[in-house]
Amino acid sequence: MNGPVPRKGILDIDAYVPGKSAAPAGVKLWKLSSNETPLGPSAQAKAAYAAAGEKLELYPDGASSALRAAIAARYGLDPARLICGAGSDELLSLLAYTYLGPGDEAVYSEHGFLVYKIATLAAGATPVVAPEKNYTADVDALLARVTAKTKIVFLANPNNPTGTYLPFDEVKRLHAGLRSDILLVLDAAYAEYVRANDYESGLELVATSPNVVMARTFSKIYGLANLRLGWMVGPPAVIDAVNRIRGPFNVSGPAMAAGMAAIQDDAHVADAIAHNDKWLAFLTKELTGLGLGVTPSVGNFLLVHFSKEAGKSARDADAFLTERGLILRRVDAYGLPDALRLTIGSEEANRLVVETLREFLGK
């Protein structure tokens, strides 16, 4: 007897596969596969989380009012234009469910975040991929793929897993080329790490446009990945529409408490930025010196390119590193079978990965 049949398109989805998190038995694990911060969360965030554990029998505030107020105060925003979610990926999915359906299209760049495709297919719509130039989103290519069916354009800026970004002038040019009924979704999960003078996360564009939203996360620089916490700012009409399908208690109380404390701990964020600046430059220089291709990155990770030669490939390197407890991210699903993504880790992990790759390459 046949059981229920999933809606058309659901079985076309390749389920998201997180970075590996296990090493061989007896080997110390160095997890460099998920872009987690090596500094961990703020001590203030951990204390707030622990205190919230005293009230686990109570439902959380369904509107995340205090957290939205804290985010608004930090960035000079109107709390009414904010919405919080269980990670920014939940908010990306809610946008897809709100604005996409059968016959609609969503456009994103070639090596963009996998959730864009998953959310689009889950909503019954068609994902449309635009090629990149030098592993960077190409505004002209994105605009060339916009049709009468396009309802959303997703842009990760900076992009994961490439680490590249579009200058704000290019983001504004992309927006200017879109119809007013197309929603531009700026995914700025790694914005806090960027030091480039021509970069903007998109707050200005959101503030002045009726069809732009920006999503952010507490999972990266704030070190709260385990709590699943993200936020989005957008036009009142978009926030209202998304709130109508958002689960009533989609953010837990402990997550809210930790998020409010984390976003106010400027010193911890400054330490994380300083650590990343130092070791991003170190790893870029050292790995390039080994003859590996390294895509210049403004995030807390590097895309490292390997030879296609047997014994020297990304797959071979991954196996070699894993045997020594160094877990990087395979990025085949992103169309990058000859590369690995390396998270900036602790000093010990960063130095160890360089020496291990030196050994792998016979240098």
PDB file of all heavy atoms in Angstrom, residues 260-285:
ATOM      1  N   MET A 260      21.060  38.983  23.641  1.00  0.00           N
ATOM      2  CA  MET A 260      21.057  40.347  24.162  1.00  0.00           C
ATOM      3  C   MET A 260      22.378  40.682  24.843  1.00  0.00           C
ATOM      4  O   MET A 260      22.923  41.782  24.679  1.00  0.00           O
ATOM      5  CB  MET A 260      19.902  40.527  25.144  1.00  0.00           C
ATOM      6  CG  MET A 260      18.551  40.663  24.483  1.00  0.00           C
ATOM      7  SD  MET A 260      17.229  41.037  25.653  1.00  0.00           S
ATOM      8  CE  MET A 260      16.975  39.438  26.407  1.00  0.00           C
ATOM      9  N   ALA A 261      22.925  39.729  25.593  1.00  0.00           N
ATOM     10  CA  ALA A 261      24.205  39.967  26.259  1.00  0.00           C
ATOM     11  C   ALA A 261      25.342  40.022  25.251  1.00  0.00           C
ATOM     12  O   ALA A 261      26.245  40.860  25.343  1.00  0.00           O
ATOM     13  CB  ALA A 261      24.462  38.870  27.290  1.00  0.00           C
ATOM     14  N   ALA A 262      25.298  39.129  24.252  1.00  0.00           N
ATOM     15  CA  ALA A 262      26.387  39.054  23.270  1.00  0.00           C
ATOM     16  C   ALA A 262      26.498  40.329  22.456  1.00  0.00           C
ATOM     17  O   ALA A 262      27.604  40.832  22.205  1.00  0.00           O
ATOM     18  CB  ALA A 262      26.157  37.859  22.344  1.00  0.00           C
ATOM     19  N   ILE A 263      25.371  40.877  22.030  1.00  0.00           N
ATOM     20  CA  ILE A 263      25.411  42.030  21.134  1.00  0.00           C
ATOM     21  C   ILE A 263      25.860  43.299  21.855  1.00  0.00           C
ATOM     22  O   ILE A 263      26.237  44.288  21.213  1.00  0.00           O
ATOM     23  CB  ILE A 263      24.034  42.230  20.456  1.00  0.00           C
ATOM     24  CG1 ILE A 263      24.209  42.958  19.121  1.00  0.00           C
ATOM     25  CG2 ILE A 263      23.058  42.950  21.374  1.00  0.00           C
ATOM     26  CD1 ILE A 263      22.989  42.913  18.245  1.00  0.00           C
ATOM     27  N   GLN A 264      25.863  43.250  23.188  1.00  0.00           N
ATOM     28  CA  GLN A 264      26.317  44.405  23.969  1.00  0.00           C
ATOM     29  C   GLN A 264      27.767  44.277  24.426  1.00  0.00           C
ATOM     30  O   GLN A 264      28.329  45.223  24.993  1.00  0.00           O
ATOM     31  CB  GLN A 264      25.410  44.584  25.185  1.00  0.00           C
ATOM     32  CG  GLN A 264      23.974  44.939  24.806  1.00  0.00           C
ATOM     33  CD  GLN A 264      23.020  44.925  25.991  1.00  0.00           C
ATOM     34  OE1 GLN A 264      23.396  45.264  27.106  1.00  0.00           O
ATOM     35  NE2 GLN A 264      21.776  44.545  25.749  1.00  0.00           N
ATOM     36  N   ASP A 265      28.394  43.121  24.161  1.00  0.00           N
ATOM     37  CA  ASP A 265      29.779  42.904  24.600  1.00  0.00           C
ATOM     38  C   ASP A 265      30.739  43.270  23.468  1.00  0.00           C
ATOM     39  O   ASP A 265      31.254  42.420  22.750  1.00  0.00           O
ATOM     40  CB  ASP A 265      29.964  41.439  25.026  1.00  0.00           C
ATOM     41  CG  ASP A 265      31.294  41.212  25.745  1.00  0.00           C
ATOM     42  OD1 ASP A 265      32.167  42.096  25.669  1.00  0.00           O
ATOM     43  OD2 ASP A 265      31.461  40.139  26.368  1.00  0.00           O
ATOM     44  N   ASP A 266      30.988  44.557  23.326  1.00  0.00           N
ATOM     45  CA  ASP A 266      31.846  45.041  22.244  1.00  0.00           C
ATOM     46  C   ASP A 266      33.274  44.540  22.363  1.00  0.00           C
ATOM     47  O   ASP A 266      33.953  44.322  21.348  1.00  0.00           O
ATOM     48  CB  ASP A 266      31.832  46.567  22.214  1.00  0.00           C
ATOM     49  CG  ASP A 266      30.486  47.150  21.806  1.00  0.00           C
ATOM     50  OD1 ASP A 266      29.711  46.429  21.141  1.00  0.00           O
ATOM     51  OD2 ASP A 266      30.203  48.305  22.153  1.00  0.00           O
ATOM     52  N   ALA A 267      33.748  44.365  23.578  1.00  0.00           N
ATOM     53  CA  ALA A 267      35.134  43.930  23.771  1.00  0.00           C
ATOM     54  C   ALA A 267      35.355  42.530  23.219  1.00  0.00           C
ATOM     55  O   ALA A 267      36.387  42.244  22.606  1.00  0.00           O
ATOM     56  CB  ALA A 267      35.500  43.983  25.255  1.00  0.00           C
ATOM     57  N   HIS A 268      34.385  41.653  23.420  1.00  0.00           N
ATOM     58  CA  HIS A 268      34.519  40.280  22.923  1.00  0.00           C
ATOM     59  C   HIS A 268      34.518  40.254  21.401  1.00  0.00           C
ATOM     60  O   HIS A 268      35.301  39.532  20.777  1.00  0.00           O
ATOM     61  CB  HIS A 268      33.383  39.409  23.463  1.00  0.00           C
ATOM     62  CG  HIS A 268      33.524  37.961  23.127  1.00  0.00           C
ATOM     63  ND1 HIS A 268      34.436  37.135  23.744  1.00  0.00           N
ATOM     64  CD2 HIS A 268      32.879  37.186  22.214  1.00  0.00           C
ATOM     65  CE1 HIS A 268      34.342  35.919  23.245  1.00  0.00           C
ATOM     66  NE2 HIS A 268      33.401  35.924  22.301  1.00  0.00           N
ATOM     67  N   VAL A 269      33.657  41.062  20.802  1.00  0.00           N
ATOM     68  CA  VAL A 269      33.612  41.144  19.341  1.00  0.00           C
ATOM     69  C   VAL A 269      34.932  41.689  18.805  1.00  0.00           C
ATOM     70  O   VAL A 269      35.470  41.187  17.812  1.00  0.00           O
ATOM     71  CB  VAL A 269      32.431  42.022  18.881  1.00  0.00           C
ATOM     72  CG1 VAL A 269      32.506  42.292  17.389  1.00  0.00           C
ATOM     73  CG2 VAL A 269      31.112  41.334  19.221  1.00  0.00           C
ATOM     74  N   ALA A 270      35.474  42.707  19.478  1.00  0.00           N
ATOM     75  CA  ALA A 270      36.760  43.274  19.046  1.00  0.00           C
ATOM     76  C   ALA A 270      37.867  42.236  19.111  1.00  0.00           C
ATOM     77  O   ALA A 270      38.735  42.169  18.219  1.00  0.00           O
ATOM     78  CB  ALA A 270      37.110  44.484  19.910  1.00  0.00           C
ATOM     79  N   ASP A 271      37.867  41.407  20.148  1.00  0.00           N
ATOM     80  CA  ASP A 271      38.872  40.336  20.260  1.00  0.00           C
ATOM     81  C   ASP A 271      38.724  39.341  19.108  1.00  0.00           C
ATOM     82  O   ASP A 271      39.726  38.866  18.557  1.00  0.00           O
ATOM     83  CB  ASP A 271      38.710  39.607  21.594  1.00  0.00           C
ATOM     84  CG  ASP A 271      39.178  40.441  22.783  1.00  0.00           C
ATOM     85  OD1 ASP A 271      39.887  41.443  22.567  1.00  0.00           O
ATOM     86  OD2 ASP A 271      38.824  40.081  23.928  1.00  0.00           O
ATOM     87  N   ALA A 272      37.482  39.013  18.769  1.00  0.00           N
ATOM     88  CA  ALA A 272      37.244  38.059  17.689  1.00  0.00           C
ATOM     89  C   ALA A 272      37.715  38.621  16.346  1.00  0.00           C
ATOM     90  O   ALA A 272      38.295  37.906  15.519  1.00  0.00           O
ATOM     91  CB  ALA A 272      35.755  37.702  17.620  1.00  0.00           C
ATOM     92  N   ILE A 273      37.478  39.912  16.129  1.00  0.00           N
ATOM     93  CA  ILE A 273      37.913  40.546  14.886  1.00  0.00           C
ATOM     94  C   ILE A 273      39.438  40.556  14.808  1.00  0.00           C
ATOM     95  O   ILE A 273      40.022  40.238  13.767  1.00  0.00           O
ATOM     96  CB  ILE A 273      37.360  41.976  14.793  1.00  0.00           C
ATOM     97  CG1 ILE A 273      35.842  41.942  14.602  1.00  0.00           C
ATOM     98  CG2 ILE A 273      38.025  42.745  13.649  1.00  0.00           C
ATOM     99  CD1 ILE A 273      35.178  43.302  14.721  1.00  0.00           C
ATOM    100  N   ALA A 274      40.075  40.925  15.908  1.00  0.00           N
ATOM    101  CA  ALA A 274      41.542  40.988  15.922  1.00  0.00           C
ATOM    102  C   ALA A 274      42.151  39.608  15.667  1.00  0.00           C
ATOM    103  O   ALA A 274      43.138  39.469  14.919  1.00  0.00           O
ATOM    104  CB  ALA A 274      42.021  41.551  17.253  1.00  0.00           C
ATOM    105  N   HIS A 275      41.598  38.593  16.299  1.00  0.00           N
ATOM    106  CA  HIS A 275      42.090  37.227  16.084  1.00  0.00           C
ATOM    107  C   HIS A 275      41.934  36.830  14.622  1.00  0.00           C
ATOM    108  O   HIS A 275      42.856  36.273  14.010  1.00  0.00           O
ATOM    109  CB  HIS A 275      41.322  36.249  16.975  1.00  0.00           C
ATOM    110  CG  HIS A 275      41.732  34.818  16.800  1.00  0.00           C
ATOM    111  ND1 HIS A 275      42.722  34.230  17.559  1.00  0.00           N
ATOM    112  CD2 HIS A 275      41.300  33.857  15.932  1.00  0.00           C
ATOM    113  CE1 HIS A 275      42.880  32.972  17.168  1.00  0.00           C
ATOM    114  NE2 HIS A 275      42.021  32.721  16.181  1.00  0.00           N
ATOM    115  N   ASN A 276      40.780  37.131  14.058  1.00  0.00           N
ATOM    116  CA  ASN A 276      40.535  36.743  12.672  1.00  0.00           C
ATOM    117  C   ASN A 276      41.456  37.488  11.710  1.00  0.00           C
ATOM    118  O   ASN A 276      41.998  36.894  10.767  1.00  0.00           O
ATOM    119  CB  ASN A 276      39.073  37.007  12.308  1.00  0.00           C
ATOM    120  CG  ASN A 276      38.651  36.265  11.067  1.00  0.00           C
ATOM    121  OD1 ASN A 276      38.573  35.041  11.068  1.00  0.00           O
ATOM    122  ND2 ASN A 276      38.390  36.986   9.989  1.00  0.00           N
ATOM    123  N   ASP A 277      41.636  38.781  11.931  1.00  0.00           N
ATOM    124  CA  ASP A 277      42.525  39.567  11.067  1.00  0.00           C
ATOM    125  C   ASP A 277      43.929  38.961  11.038  1.00  0.00           C
ATOM    126  O   ASP A 277      44.544  38.819   9.975  1.00  0.00           O
ATOM    127  CB  ASP A 277      42.611  41.006  11.559  1.00  0.00           C
ATOM    128  CG  ASP A 277      41.350  41.813  11.270  1.00  0.00           C
ATOM    129  OD1 ASP A 277      40.482  41.316  10.516  1.00  0.00           O
ATOM    130  OD2 ASP A 277      41.232  42.928  11.803  1.00  0.00           O
ATOM    131  N   LYS A 278      44.439  38.610  12.205  1.00  0.00           N
ATOM    132  CA  LYS A 278      45.807  38.074  12.300  1.00  0.00           C
ATOM    133  C   LYS A 278      45.936  36.738  11.587  1.00  0.00           C
ATOM    134  O   LYS A 278      46.843  36.534  10.764  1.00  0.00           O
ATOM    135  CB  LYS A 278      46.194  37.926  13.772  1.00  0.00           C
ATOM    136  CG  LYS A 278      47.567  37.278  13.975  1.00  0.00           C
ATOM    137  CD  LYS A 278      47.907  37.156  15.447  1.00  0.00           C
ATOM    138  CE  LYS A 278      49.259  36.469  15.639  1.00  0.00           C
ATOM    139  NZ  LYS A 278      49.628  36.385  17.087  1.00  0.00           N
ATOM    140  N   TRP A 279      45.023  35.818  11.877  1.00  0.00           N
ATOM    141  CA  TRP A 279      45.209  34.446  11.398  1.00  0.00           C
ATOM    142  C   TRP A 279      44.666  34.232   9.987  1.00  0.00           C
ATOM    143  O   TRP A 279      45.129  33.324   9.283  1.00  0.00           O
ATOM    144  CB  TRP A 279      44.614  33.461  12.405  1.00  0.00           C
ATOM    145  CG  TRP A 279      45.402  33.514  13.673  1.00  0.00           C
ATOM    146  CD1 TRP A 279      45.044  34.112  14.843  1.00  0.00           C
ATOM    147  CD2 TRP A 279      46.718  33.012  13.857  1.00  0.00           C
ATOM    148  NE1 TRP A 279      46.057  34.005  15.756  1.00  0.00           N
ATOM    149  CE2 TRP A 279      47.094  33.330  15.185  1.00  0.00           C
ATOM    150  CE3 TRP A 279      47.624  32.322  13.058  1.00  0.00           C
ATOM    151  CZ2 TRP A 279      48.341  32.984  15.714  1.00  0.00           C
ATOM    152  CZ3 TRP A 279      48.858  31.968  13.580  1.00  0.00           C
ATOM    153  CH2 TRP A 279      49.212  32.298  14.887  1.00  0.00           C
ATOM    154  N   LEU A 280      43.740  35.075   9.542  1.00  0.00           N
ATOM    155  CA  LEU A 280      43.334  35.038   8.137  1.00  0.00           C
ATOM    156  C   LEU A 280      44.527  35.403   7.251  1.00  0.00           C
ATOM    157  O   LEU A 280      44.795  34.732   6.244  1.00  0.00           O
ATOM    158  CB  LEU A 280      42.178  36.013   7.907  1.00  0.00           C
ATOM    159  CG  LEU A 280      41.604  36.085   6.491  1.00  0.00           C
ATOM    160  CD1 LEU A 280      40.882  34.798   6.123  1.00  0.00           C
ATOM    161  CD2 LEU A 280      40.659  37.280   6.350  1.00  0.00           C
ATOM    162  N   ALA A 281      45.250  36.447   7.645  1.00  0.00           N
ATOM    163  CA  ALA A 281      46.437  36.854   6.881  1.00  0.00           C
ATOM    164  C   ALA A 281      47.526  35.791   6.948  1.00  0.00           C
ATOM    165  O   ALA A 281      48.176  35.479   5.931  1.00  0.00           O
ATOM    166  CB  ALA A 281      46.962  38.184   7.418  1.00  0.00           C
ATOM    167  N   PHE A 282      47.727  35.211   8.123  1.00  0.00           N
ATOM    168  CA  PHE A 282      48.757  34.163   8.299  1.00  0.00           C
ATOM    169  C   PHE A 282      48.467  32.969   7.402  1.00  0.00           C
ATOM    170  O   PHE A 282      49.343  32.493   6.667  1.00  0.00           O
ATOM    171  CB  PHE A 282      48.784  33.740   9.768  1.00  0.00           C
ATOM    172  CG  PHE A 282      49.611  32.500  10.029  1.00  0.00           C
ATOM    173  CD1 PHE A 282      50.982  32.576  10.218  1.00  0.00           C
ATOM    174  CD2 PHE A 282      49.000  31.249  10.092  1.00  0.00           C
ATOM    175  CE1 PHE A 282      51.734  31.432  10.454  1.00  0.00           C
ATOM    176  CE2 PHE A 282      49.741  30.093  10.328  1.00  0.00           C
ATOM    177  CZ  PHE A 282      51.127  30.194  10.511  1.00  0.00           C
ATOM    178  N   LEU A 283      47.238  32.467   7.462  1.00  0.00           N
ATOM    179  CA  LEU A 283      46.898  31.274   6.687  1.00  0.00           C
ATOM    180  C   LEU A 283      46.940  31.555   5.186  1.00  0.00           C
ATOM    181  O   LEU A 283      47.386  30.711   4.402  1.00  0.00           O
ATOM    182  CB  LEU A 283      45.517  30.764   7.098  1.00  0.00           C
ATOM    183  CG  LEU A 283      45.467  30.060   8.451  1.00  0.00           C
ATOM    184  CD1 LEU A 283      44.021  29.834   8.898  1.00  0.00           C
ATOM    185  CD2 LEU A 283      46.210  28.731   8.414  1.00  0.00           C
ATOM    186  N   THR A 284      46.476  32.715   4.782  1.00  0.00           N
ATOM    187  CA  THR A 284      46.531  33.069   3.359  1.00  0.00           C
ATOM    188  C   THR A 284      47.970  33.058   2.859  1.00  0.00           C
ATOM    189  O   THR A 284      48.278  32.476   1.802  1.00  0.00           O
ATOM    190  CB  THR A 284      45.906  34.457   3.131  1.00  0.00           C
ATOM    191  OG1 THR A 284      44.542  34.440   3.567  1.00  0.00           O
ATOM    192  CG2 THR A 284      45.963  34.841   1.659  1.00  0.00           C
ATOM    193  N   LYS A 285      48.855  33.664   3.610  1.00  0.00           N
ATOM    194  CA  LYS A 285      50.267  33.728   3.214  1.00  0.00           C
ATOM    195  C   LYS A 285      50.908  32.350   3.219  1.00  0.00           C
ATOM    196  O   LYS A 285      51.596  31.958   2.260  1.00  0.00           O
ATOM    197  CB  LYS A 285      51.019  34.661   4.165  1.00  0.00           C
ATOM    198  CG  LYS A 285      52.520  34.767   3.860  1.00  0.00           C
ATOM    199  CD  LYS A 285      53.218  35.663   4.864  1.00  0.00           C
ATOM    200  CE  LYS A 285      54.723  35.705   4.591  1.00  0.00           C
ATOM    201  NZ  LYS A 285      55.431  36.542   5.601  1.00  0.00           N
TER     202      LYS A 285
END
